[in-house]
Amino acid sequence: MTATTTTDWRDTLRDAADLALVGIVVTVAAVPVVTTGAAVAVGAEAVHQRFTDGHWPGPRDLLRSFGRRLLPGALATLIVLATILLLTLNIFWLNQGLAPGGGVLLAVTAVAVVALLGLAALAVPFLGRGYTYRRALRTALSRPALILTCSGVIGIAFLIGSILPITAPLLVGYVLLALHTIARRVLVPTPAA
């Protein structure tokens, strides 16, 4: 006779509340901006541990991981911000007619924005598995089919957050779970510690 596990509605509600709390904590930890990379990585790590091992990490483990990821996360955050600035300037200049290329180059830039957004989003769950920022990005690059899916997840969350801005911090935890679920399909083994 095999044992079956049933999920009670209270477990589902508890997980939903926990994910909302993860989103709030990640948002608060990301307020200084340079801590965003570390906050997202640690949030992804917590979601990975909960939905892979069945329990949330303790506060000491989270703080230790946050401290370890602070400097590499700051560098990753600065790279992302510089990329966003360059793409925004490119779009502005194309819209104003200050750069040649017009509508065609504007469309190419929009596709690049969506692809880079999906790539960064797909790298996040690999950070949760303990990968370095560089290895997470390389692993995400090796899965181009999932990049568009992750862009869609971010787009839907952005749409919901722009309609109901108060939900934006809560959505972060749910987005981390969605990205974790997408990355689980990749079946890349967790690196040994």
Side-chain angles (χ1 to χ4, degrees):
M1 197 153 113
T2 59
T4 58
T5 307
T6 58
T7 303
D8 188 359
W9 66 271
R10 290 172 289 219
D11 296 332
T12 304
L13 186 60
R14 187 177 309 112
D15 283 340
D18 288 345
L19 284 170
L21 183 60
V22 166
I24 292 169
V25 171
V26 167
T27 302
V28 169
V31 167
V33 179
V34 293
T35 59
T36 302
V40 169
V42 172
E45 190 176 316
V47 169
H48 173 73
Q49 189 169 341
R50 167 59 186 96
F51 291 98
T52 302
D53 300 339
H55 60 87
W56 291 101
R60 285 186 182 158
D61 294 332
L62 292 173
L63 285 173
R64 190 176 316 115
S65 180
F66 186 79
R68 186 177 29 111
R69 293 179 179 265
L70 197 53
L71 192 56
L75 180 60
T77 300
L78 292 175
I79 290 170
V80 168
L81 289 175
T83 304
I84 290 170
L85 176 65
L86 289 174
L87 289 170
T88 303
L89 285 174
N90 190 35
I91 290 170
F92 175 75
W93 290 331
L94 287 169
N95 271 338
Q96 297 298 317
L98 300 172
V104 173
L105 198 51
L106 192 59
V108 169
T109 304
V111 169
V113 167
V114 170
L116 288 172
L117 182 65
L119 177 64
L122 184 56
V124 168
F126 296 112
L127 292 172
R129 292 180 180 189
Y131 288 26
T132 63
Y133 289 86
R134 185 177 295 173
R135 183 170 178 215
L137 193 58
R138 275 195 314 248
T139 305
L141 271 170
S142 69
R143 307 295 191 258
L146 297 178
I147 290 174
L148 186 60
T149 306
C150 291
S151 294
V153 167
I154 299 299
I156 290 168
F158 180 79
L159 182 65
I160 293 170
S162 63
I163 293 170
L164 297 167
I166 197 159
T167 65
L170 305 175
L171 289 172
V172 173
Y174 296 107
V175 167
L176 290 174
L177 176 61
L179 296 175
H180 170 75
T181 303
I182 293 167
R184 279 183 87 170
R185 296 192 175 275
V186 175
L187 300 174
V188 177
T190 303

